[in-house]
Amino acid sequence: MAADSEPESEVFEITDFTTASEWERFISKVEEVLNDWKLIGISSGKPLEKGVYTTGAWEEKSDEISFADFKFSITHHYLVQEPSDKDGKEELVEDALPLPVQDLLCMNNDFPPRAHCLVRWYGLREFVVIAPAANNDAVLSESKCNLLLSSISIALGNTGCQVPLFVQIHHKWRRMYVGECQGPGVRTDFEMVHLRKVPNQYTHLSGLLDIFKSKIGCPLTPLPPVSMAIRLTYVLQDWQQYFWPQQPPDIDALVGGEVGGLEFGKLPFGACEDPISELHLATTWPHLTEGIIVDNDVYSDLDPLQAPQWSVRVRKADNPQCLLGDFLTEFFKLCRRKESTDEILGRSAFEEEGKEVADITHALSKLTEPAPVPIHKLSVTNMVHSAKKKIRKRRGVDESPLNNEVLNTILLFLFPDAADKLADGFESRTSTSAGNNPPPENEDYNLFSQFKSAPSDSLTYKLALCLCMINFYHGGVKGVAHLWQEFVLEMRYRWENNYLIPGLANGPPDLRCCLLHQKLQMLNCCIERKKARDEGKRGSMSDCSPGGTSGDTGKGADHSGENPDKDKEVGKSWESWSDSEEEFFECLSDTEDLKGNGQENGKKGGAKEGNKEPVNLKPEGRLHPHGKLTLLHPGEPLYIPITQEPAPMTEDLLEEQSEVLAKLGTSAEGAHLRARMQSACLLSDMESFKAANPGCCLEDFVRWYSPRDYIEEEVVDEKGNVVIKGELSARMKIPSNMWVEAWETAKPVPARRQKRLFDDTREAEKVLHYLAVQKPADLARHLLPCIIHAAVLKVKEEEALEDISSVKKIIKQIISHSSKVLRFPNPEDKKLEEIIAQIMSVEAIIARARSLKAKFGVEKCENEEEKEDLQRFVNCLLEQPEVSVIGAGRGPAGSIIHKLFVNAQRVSAVPPLDEELRRSGSSEERRLNMGAVSDFPPPTGREVILRTTVPRPAPYSKPLPQRMYSVLTKEDFRLAGAFSADTTFF
Amino acid sequence: MDEDVLTTLKILIIGESGVGKSSLLLRFTDDTFDPELAATIGVDFKVKTISVDGNKAKLAIWDTAGQERFRTLTPSYYRGAQGVILVYDVTRRDTFVKLDNWLNELETYCTRNDIVKMLVGNKIDKENREVDRNEGLKFARKHSMLFIEASAKTCDGVQCAFEELVEKIIQTPGLWESESQNRGVKLSNKEEGYGGGGACGGYCSML
């Protein structure tokens, strides 16, 4: 095929791949990849700067190759370097050592805090690794290992690649690599030993030196000096007196009225466990020459206190259990529950089988008979109806997910006016219930409009927090369902008894808030209207019908007679009516209405008898005189009428209505119909206006309502006087336009007697029904923005105490992220989870900062300067993988760390004889010989790097870099050697 | 028709009564002028699909009544609007002076803070001008709005005003993309499909 496709090319030699073995194909594949990545040729680069392995960026490229059907991944790891200008010059030095071989001796990047293990072991800036692609695959047999090693050797030789090439052998977790690097006349072999049990001689420096020297096998005497870098790492796990201060809040305390740091309406914060699990102190001797110190079986000069370099890292607990995070996560889980409130609470919890039905019929019927009220119902209402309360308490408590005390605490918290009610009687609380103190105008407060939640002092917000806490501490979803049911009942109670709902801003629903908040505001609007209506009626009854027709009204009037304080009287009489209030749901009858009407007119000074005639010559329903305008014809002052308020709307109603309006289409008829649908308000205003200004005309109305549609001009009349002449604008004069039409239909009826534009009864029932059918999951979704809002505020508040700049940044991100996600209906779960995860990470960071502050005694430090240094040190620990301790063991931070270790040692003065101690038995003896408990525990990790330059393999070979790294920890021991040999004559 | 519509935008027209809001809209949608257009009651609604830079956008335009008394009713319709045309009458200074109130209203009732605003000085065909063009410009700059003077009667600037506004909205992706996301699965899928080479692709390359 290949020959066919290129018939013209001159073929001197046929390359025949037909007999190529799998092995050959594998090698050529490796070569191909090396070629693709342009790793062929002389490697170049600047000498490594100090610490560049930590500060620089590492990148990697991967590809997949296979040996027969066994898949390998081949990965190039490299430090990103700027191209150096010297490249050209360096290349001139023909037989220069390959860079990786030079790097073996570089001491600027020993013990990097975070790096690939091969970087740590061999100090390489660039290398390629071939490893089994699947995680559980492994190259185990020796022959296979050798085959691989041979493959890379051939590939390197064929391509002239100077980048070290490694193969990973054995199981992945053992991190065993063998490799090779080739250069002109030089080859470096990377070898490795990995053991579980350590031969005793390798636990100290002199033993390691012996093995290094024997490995080099240098025939020269005296041997060139070996340079050594040593790092001992000590781990502190036992923080002793620094017990983690934060205990999970005591839930039981809450019930007793004592709220042990955990109140409803507040979110908890902080880690339940120490978010800092370990402190690793690395004491480093960066550059020692052989012979300067002694470290052998029986004696050691390596005293950590004397080490010239100290660095510290902290190990953070993985996902420490944090309170706020737990609260959020659990609340979010609620969103996924499918059950309805009834399903959760179970029928058994209620005395009646037809509960579900009861709930709705209940909602639609007048709350006259107490019979179908479910047993568990325990709300603030109970405080009023104390007799009922007793009954309920006796019967229902055990079955309720929430116990009485918790429930009452919550209800009192949500409805603080209930307490006033108990103390002072009813009416006083209406004054406190408005909850419309001018809101503080600050950024935090206004967060609600970004998050579409609710103001932080609102009922909705408080409810969200209570539900969140109940979900966590008081019965989970059952508790939530229970509280919600109570809440809905309370809403109904308030509606039926004309008590405003506290903690909601007055006025129409605030469309910037969540829908649930809008619904509650809507309900409040209904209550307000109903109350005003009922009070107007009651007022008229107590004044005008002392011998009223029904016994109830009579009762009310009697109360008024007894009690001169009208406010109190109203409340009491109201209560006494609460059992049969049917009449309040009906429109005022004509006779009553007119009586009231007459009475009002009487107040205004006009003697007035009831009159059913539509043409009413006496003014009614005046708000106040306009001031400037007088009626055109009679010349009387123009009065602004009392008008009906337009219907308040929640966003879902609004959507519905705009859909209806939009559906009428854009035709002329559509527009006309649309105008007609909306003219109810105009008509109502016209009727009120007519009632307030007998004898008025459309011009009068327009002058008040749409002044620009009454055009006035100065005209000079026959006598030469300047007269102002006015007329309706052209558009108002269009025959039978809707304004004229409406004006003609309008009868003089004051607002009070008009058909209601807003049917509060219907709207209230709609809201109550809506509330009743919300499942706990719906509720959680409604309120999640409030919870996130609260969590952000909490995190902000906590951060303010610690002042961590990185956290400030994250919080800003959270806010902007959340406001994007939450502003739209039905945000995706994934995005919500992201937000919660972000909040949790912030909480963890703050908790860590606190933990570290406590451990390093930042607050206790008296010297201001030192305190600042310590604070900086602690901040660095949070943000950097490893922080060097200024002044090592003698600096302020160093001495604190020293003390921490000393204290830990003292407590464990009789150290348990664990594996480690057995292993390093010799050092134990050594310590005993010294006669005292050492300040530091035995090192958890001992790292040693030995380096030298010697000729290999023969005395007359080129002197080449040799390096051996050893690490000894509790679990394993590893030797990683890189031994270079001159290949020119071998 | 709806197939190739990139997005549906909600546009509001607000301003004092009698400044010519409905006339501007009528000129834009039907290209007619009616000197005897009845005063709007509540809100009115018109739809027009326009093409801006090759992208079709369907405009749902809500025209509002300017009378003080209707202001308790109309702001509810501000919700979710992406663009607003704020109109004054260049021959009546009082309509210009009241602009601040309208902006306040917008701020209070608008659900988004990135809504695109255009200021239109209407009735430039009339001779008794009271508000100078520069004053309008200055006001628009102060409140970072688009500005144009127009006449619904002579057709000056009307088309341009709507087009500019739509273009500006389209250039603010957060404004309208999110809108389509919330229209349900079907539509968003469709739009994703377009991402490859359809209308959306063309748009993206423009950015």
Side-chain angles (χ1 to χ4, degrees):
Chain A
M1 280 286 277
D4 283 347
S5 63
E6 300 175 318
E8 278 115 335
S9 66
E10 283 183 281
V11 179
F12 294 111
E13 190 183 352
I14 292 172
T15 314
D16 178 9
F17 289 112
T18 53
T19 58
S21 65
E22 293 287 359
W23 187 40
E24 283 167 297
R25 268 187 229 129
F26 176 69
I27 293 170
S28 72
K29 187 76 194 144
V30 172
E31 288 171 17
E32 211 173 283
V33 171
L34 293 178
N35 259 315
D36 282 351
W37 289 346
K38 302 194 171 56
L39 300 178
I40 310 304
I42 295 162
S43 53
S44 63
K46 282 183 278 192
L48 292 166
E49 282 165 39
K50 186 123 191 119
V52 71
Y53 282 6
T54 322
T55 55
W58 286 86
E59 282 184 13
E60 55 179 74
K61 267 191 283 210
S62 281
D63 206 340
E64 205 163 82
I65 53 175
S66 55
F67 195 128
D69 56 354
F70 191 92
K71 285 205 168 63
F72 287 95
S73 72
I74 176 165
T75 311
H76 180 211
H77 298 261
Y78 56 100
L79 178 72
V80 182
Q81 287 170 297
E82 287 168 28
S84 82
D85 313 328
K86 291 184 197 163
D87 282 4
K89 284 178 199 165
E90 276 173 351
E91 277 172 40
L92 292 178
V93 189
E94 235 178 47
D95 51 352
L97 286 175
L99 264 184
V101 180
Q102 294 177 38
D103 286 348
L104 291 177
L105 292 186
C106 175
M107 311 221 294
N108 282 340
N109 286 288
D110 290 344
F111 314 117
R114 209 187 276 156
H116 189 279
C117 55
L118 287 172
V119 176
R120 200 172 169 82
W121 296 336
Y122 295 116
L124 299 170
R125 73 174 84 179
E126 176 176 34
F127 54 91
V128 174
V129 177
I130 298 174
N135 260 335
N136 42 5
D137 275 345
V139 182
L140 293 173
S141 81
E142 197 173 343
S143 64
K144 277 186 190 164
C145 294
N146 285 335
L147 190 67
L148 273 179
L149 197 54
S150 317
S151 315
I152 62 168
S153 193
I154 295 169
L156 288 175
N158 285 348
T159 54
C161 169
Q162 293 193 350
V163 177
L165 192 49
F166 289 88
V167 289
Q168 181 164 21
I169 54 176
H170 288 285
H171 295 289
K172 284 217 162 163
W173 60 265
R174 291 191 64 183
R175 295 195 293 174
M176 284 287 285
Y177 297 88
V178 288
E180 191 170 312
C181 178
Q182 291 185 10
V186 60
R187 193 185 76 225
T188 302
D189 291 307
F190 297 91
E191 299 165 7
M192 198 166 290
V193 176
H194 181 231
L195 299 171
R196 292 258 188 117
K197 278 202 161 183
V198 199
N200 206 22
Q201 68 266 30
Y202 299 150
T203 59
H204 47 76
L205 196 56
S206 53
L208 291 171
L209 268 173
D210 289 344
I211 190 175
F212 183 55
K213 284 175 186 163
S214 71
K215 190 71 198 174
I216 295 169
C218 180
L220 291 187
T221 43
L223 198 71
V226 176
S227 104
M228 303 179 291
I230 303 172
R231 163 175 286 204
L232 305 183
T233 302
Y234 299 89
V235 173
L236 182 70
Q237 284 168 309
D238 187 0
W239 297 95
Q240 288 316 316
Q241 73 268 46
Y242 300 97
F243 280 123
W244 184 237
Q246 183 141 20
Q247 298 294 318
D250 187 359
I251 316 140
D252 299 331
L254 187 97
V255 175
E258 293 282 319
V259 280
L262 191 69
E263 298 167 48
F264 287 112
K266 294 226 169 98
L267 285 175
F269 187 89
C272 296
E273 54 190 325
D274 194 336
I276 301 290
S277 53
E278 288 175 1
L279 178 135
H280 294 197
L281 168 67
T283 58
T284 310
W285 289 262
H287 186 61
L288 291 172
T289 318
E290 193 185 353
I292 287 185
I293 58 143
V294 180
D295 181 50
N296 58 26
D297 249 3
V298 292
Y299 178 78
S300 176
D301 278 336
L302 295 174
D303 177 2
L305 267 183
Q306 305 302 321
Q309 284 178 9
W310 274 26
S311 54
V312 174
R313 60 171 89 191
V314 286
R315 207 165 120 195
K316 295 147 188 171
D318 301 331
N319 306 320
Q321 196 205 345
C322 289
L323 289 170
L324 181 62
D326 286 355
F327 261 61
L328 287 178
T329 322
E330 288 303 315
F331 191 77
F332 184 61
K333 279 186 197 157
L334 268 187
C335 297
R336 302 221 174 101
R337 301 290 294 237
K338 297 234 161 51
E339 308 92 316
S340 70
T341 309
D342 290 327
E343 280 162 1
I344 289 166
L345 292 178
R347 290 284 159 77
S348 64
F350 306 102
E351 51 184 348
E352 260 150 22
E353 264 192 30
K355 174 70 189 81
E356 201 171 305
V357 184
D359 229 36
I360 294 160
T361 51
H362 185 64
L364 298 171
S365 71
K366 324 259 141 63
L367 222 202
T368 43
E369 59 290 291
V373 172
I375 253 187
H376 72 287
K377 177 176 152 183
L378 246 180
S379 66
V380 184
T381 56
N382 298 330
M383 297 170 196
V384 187
H385 305 283
S386 52
K388 283 183 192 168
K389 182 178 174 182
K390 274 179 197 155
I391 300 166
R392 282 183 198 135
K393 244 186 168 173
R394 227 185 301 126
R395 295 200 295 183
V397 173
D398 295 339
E399 295 142 48
S400 305
L402 285 179
N403 76 40
N404 266 338
E405 272 161 303
V406 172
L407 188 57
N408 283 336
T409 316
I410 295 172
L411 291 173
L412 262 180
F413 167 72
L414 292 177
F415 306 104
D417 54 344
D420 305 340
K421 187 166 64 187
L422 277 178
D424 321 325
F426 282 21
E427 208 56 26
S428 62
R429 53 95 154 252
T430 27
S431 55
T432 59
S433 67
N436 51 353
N437 309 334
E441 282 298 321
N442 65 47
E443 197 190 327
D444 281 353
Y445 186 83
N446 288 327
L447 212 55
F448 75 86
S449 64
Q450 284 187 52
F451 283 16
K452 206 164 173 21
S453 54
S456 51
D457 51 2
S458 67
L459 174 65
T460 319
Y461 187 92
K462 288 183 189 169
L463 173 70
L465 293 180
C466 288
L467 287 174
C468 192
M469 177 154 305
I470 283 188
N471 180 48
F472 200 77
Y473 280 129
H474 301 283
V477 70
K478 274 193 170 182
V480 167
H482 185 186
L483 176 60
W484 178 240
Q485 203 149 35
E486 292 298 335
F487 187 87
V488 175
L489 284 168
E490 174 69 19
M491 290 300 108
R492 173 160 293 285
Y493 175 81
R494 283 176 182 262
W495 157 246
E496 280 162 1
N497 295 285
N498 290 2
Y499 297 129
L500 285 176
I501 304 161
L504 297 172
N506 276 359
D510 187 340
L511 302 180
R512 294 170 300 170
C513 297
C514 67
L515 183 58
L516 192 71
H517 186 78
Q518 294 179 30
K519 293 274 182 195
L520 296 179
Q521 280 186 305
M522 181 74 155
L523 186 60
N524 231 12
C525 288
C526 297
I527 296 173
E528 209 177 331
R529 301 257 175 124
K530 177 167 167 254
K531 190 175 164 180
R533 203 154 25 94
D534 289 352
E535 265 166 15
K537 179 187 172 193
R538 199 162 346 116
S540 71
M541 280 191 296
S542 50
D543 285 354
C544 302
S545 56
T549 46
S550 81
D552 285 317
T553 35
K555 237 194 263 172
D558 288 348
H559 276 287
S560 76
E562 286 158 19
N563 198 333
D565 182 347
K566 200 181 178 216
D567 279 356
K568 276 205 162 171
E569 164 262 314
V570 168
K572 274 192 189 164
S573 58
W574 204 216
E575 184 186 27
S576 65
W577 292 341
S578 62
D579 278 344
S580 58
E581 51 197 341
E582 256 167 59
E583 59 270 58
F584 297 98
F585 282 84
E586 274 148 30
C587 287
L588 302 176
S589 74
D590 268 0
T591 42
E592 269 177 320
D593 200 12
L594 287 173
K595 266 180 215 156
N597 183 13
Q599 177 246 337
E600 191 181 87
N601 285 323
K603 272 184 195 160
K604 290 217 162 89
K608 169 82 175 93
E609 69 275 49
N611 190 347
K612 272 198 160 187
E613 292 297 318
V615 182
N616 191 344
L617 290 175
K618 294 290 171 189
E620 287 181 79
R622 285 175 165 176
L623 188 63
H624 57 79
H626 185 281
K628 290 178 204 155
L629 298 180
T630 54
L631 296 183
L632 289 172
H633 297 306
E636 279 184 30
L638 188 151
Y639 278 88
I640 292 173
I642 296 169
T643 51
Q644 289 203 52
E645 293 288 311
M649 301 265 242
T650 53
E651 66 186 38
D652 52 345
L653 284 179
L654 198 60
E655 201 112 314
E656 248 169 59
Q657 177 153 359
S658 25
E659 225 160 82
V660 168
L661 290 181
K663 268 198 187 133
L664 292 175
T666 54
S667 63
E669 300 90 68
H672 188 76
L673 210 52
R674 199 156 30 231
R676 184 157 296 254
M677 279 177 67
Q678 296 175 90
S679 65
C681 188
L682 181 66
L683 183 70
S684 146
D685 287 347
M686 283 177 169
E687 295 197 327
S688 309
F689 187 83
K690 279 190 174 175
N693 299 288
C696 62
C697 57
L698 179 58
E699 279 84 350
D700 294 317
F701 178 75
V702 166
R703 281 191 301 155
W704 164 57
Y705 211 82
S706 181
R708 275 187 210 88
D709 282 304
Y710 188 75
I711 297 155
E712 287 179 325
E713 270 180 310
E714 290 184 353
V715 193
V716 182
D717 66 1
E718 314 90 60
K719 291 173 192 163
N721 295 328
V722 180
V723 181
I724 294 176
K725 230 184 129 185
E727 58 176 342
L728 286 178
S729 67
R731 64 175 181 178
M732 285 294 174
K733 280 195 269 187
I734 304 169
S736 75
N737 79 64
M738 197 154 300
W739 291 66
V740 174
E741 222 173 69
W743 182 255
E744 278 161 7
T745 356
K747 296 169 204 148
V749 183
R752 280 185 309 109
R753 278 192 291 134
Q754 287 168 10
K755 183 172 176 270
R756 276 183 281 162
L757 287 179
F758 174 63
D759 185 347
D760 48 61
T761 314
R762 208 179 75 135
E763 292 305 325
E765 288 301 343
K766 268 164 77 181
V767 171
L768 287 169
H769 179 70
Y770 180 88
L771 297 181
V773 297
Q774 296 302 301
K775 295 175 187 173
D778 303 330
L779 197 56
R781 289 214 183 261
H782 276 304
L783 295 174
L784 193 64
C786 293
I787 295 294
I788 290 176
H789 177 178
V792 166
L793 287 186
K794 184 72 191 172
V795 165
K796 243 184 152 176
E797 174 195 328
E798 300 285 338
E799 187 277 333
L801 303 174
E802 304 302 324
D803 194 30
I804 310 164
S805 54
S806 64
V807 172
K808 277 198 184 75
K809 226 197 258 161
I810 306 177
I811 293 179
K812 268 196 190 134
Q813 283 170 5
I814 295 177
I815 292 180
S816 77
H817 186 189
S818 313
S819 54
K820 273 183 208 139
V821 172
L822 297 175
R823 211 189 298 155
F824 300 107
N826 308 321
E828 286 167 44
D829 279 6
K830 219 181 94 201
K831 288 183 176 164
L832 294 170
E833 273 164 9
E834 270 170 30
I835 293 173
I836 292 172
Q838 277 177 316
I839 294 175
M840 288 168 77
S841 76
V842 167
E843 185 186 23
I845 294 173
I846 295 175
R848 277 179 206 131
R850 293 206 171 139
S851 170
L852 284 173
K853 258 187 173 175
K855 291 184 170 75
F856 285 92
V858 175
E859 297 305 328
K860 280 181 262 166
C861 186
E862 276 152 18
N863 184 329
E864 271 307 311
E865 212 173 300
E866 276 183 25
K867 189 172 175 175
E868 261 176 49
D869 285 346
L870 269 181
Q871 181 68 56
R872 216 172 302 133
F873 176 71
V874 164
N875 287 346
C876 287
L877 276 179
L878 280 175
E879 280 158 20
Q880 295 167 14
E882 189 171 288
V883 182
S884 68
V885 181
I886 298 162
R890 286 169 209 87
S895 58
I896 290 175
I897 296 166
H898 182 204
K899 241 180 254 160
L900 286 172
F901 274 102
V902 170
N903 289 334
Q905 282 297 97
R906 232 177 252 151
V907 172
S908 56
V910 188
L913 197 68
D914 64 7
E915 200 186 333
E916 149 126 26
L917 295 181
R918 248 180 281 126
R919 196 163 63 184
S920 52
S922 56
S923 53
E924 276 308 296
E925 284 166 34
R926 185 174 73 213
R927 226 176 265 132
L928 289 175
N929 289 345
M930 288 159 80
V933 178
S934 160
D935 288 358
F936 289 88
T940 311
R942 287 173 70 100
E943 289 167 280
V944 177
I945 301 173
L946 303 175
R947 278 177 279 230
T948 191
T949 306
V950 294
R952 265 185 88 215
Y956 45 83
S957 299
K958 201 162 45 172
L960 291 168
Q962 317 292 337
R963 168 183 168 123
M964 190 178 81
Y965 169 91
S966 109
V967 56
L968 169 66
T969 68
K970 221 173 186 175
E971 282 92 24
D972 66 8
F973 171 71
R974 188 186 302 268
L975 285 176
F979 303 104
S980 317
D982 189 342
T983 54
T984 313
F985 301 106
F986 295 90
Chain B
M1 181 61 177
D2 268 11
E3 284 295 302
D4 50 356
V5 164
L6 176 64
T7 181
T8 301
L9 301 176
K10 178 171 176 181
I11 312 280
L12 286 175
I13 307 184
I14 58 174
E16 289 291 302
S17 75
V19 294
K21 295 180 292 296
S22 303
S23 294
L24 280 172
L25 181 55
L26 190 66
R27 171 59 83 187
F28 175 63
T29 55
D30 300 17
D31 200 19
T32 53
F33 180 74
D34 179 358
E36 296 201 333
L37 201 56
T40 309
I41 292 172
V43 295
D44 199 9
F45 171 80
K46 281 198 188 303
V47 179
K48 177 156 175 155
T49 304
I50 66 165
S51 172
V52 176
D53 295 323
N55 297 304
K56 281 195 174 167
K58 187 173 164 190
L59 307 185
I61 309 165
W62 291 85
D63 181 21
T64 61
Q67 280 79 9
E68 185 85 31
R69 285 285 304 166
F70 282 123
R71 279 202 215 169
T72 40
L73 187 74
T74 50
S76 340
Y77 295 92
Y78 292 11
R79 222 175 78 85
Q82 285 113 330
V84 60
I85 294 181
L86 181 47
V87 189
Y88 68 94
D89 178 350
V90 295
T91 69
R92 306 189 76 149
R93 175 155 293 277
D94 58 328
T95 64
F96 182 74
V97 173
K98 289 273 178 71
L99 288 177
D100 275 315
N101 294 359
W102 286 102
L103 282 180
N104 279 340
E105 195 122 307
L106 262 187
E107 200 159 305
T108 318
Y109 296 104
C110 246
T111 44
R112 2 170 139 251
N113 38 19
D114 49 357
I115 184 169
V116 179
K117 287 171 271 191
M118 165 160 280
L119 181 62
V120 175
N122 194 23
K123 306 195 188 177
I124 50 169
D125 56 292
K126 287 198 175 179
E127 280 169 9
N128 52 336
R129 183 192 268 266
E130 286 183 10
V131 183
D132 191 60
R133 186 185 149 82
N134 282 331
E135 290 179 82
L137 267 176
K138 215 173 127 189
F139 185 87
R141 179 175 306 149
K142 186 176 162 197
H143 298 281
S144 19
M145 307 161 82
L146 298 161
F147 175 68
I148 196 167
E149 287 196 334
S151 162
K153 192 173 178 181
T154 63
C155 199
D156 279 321
V158 179
Q159 192 74 16
C160 193
F162 281 91
E163 279 173 6
E164 282 283 315
L165 182 72
V166 171
E167 193 169 351
K168 196 82 188 171
I169 295 171
I170 299 258
Q171 281 169 5
T172 320
L175 254 182
W176 57 273
E177 272 174 358
S178 48
E179 224 258 322
S180 53
Q181 272 172 20
N182 285 290
R183 300 224 145 188
V185 188
K186 232 179 182 176
L187 187 59
S188 66
N189 279 346
K190 195 162 76 187
E191 301 229 327
E192 270 166 28
Y194 276 107
C200 183
Y203 167 67
C204 291
S205 65
M206 264 171 49
L207 270 189

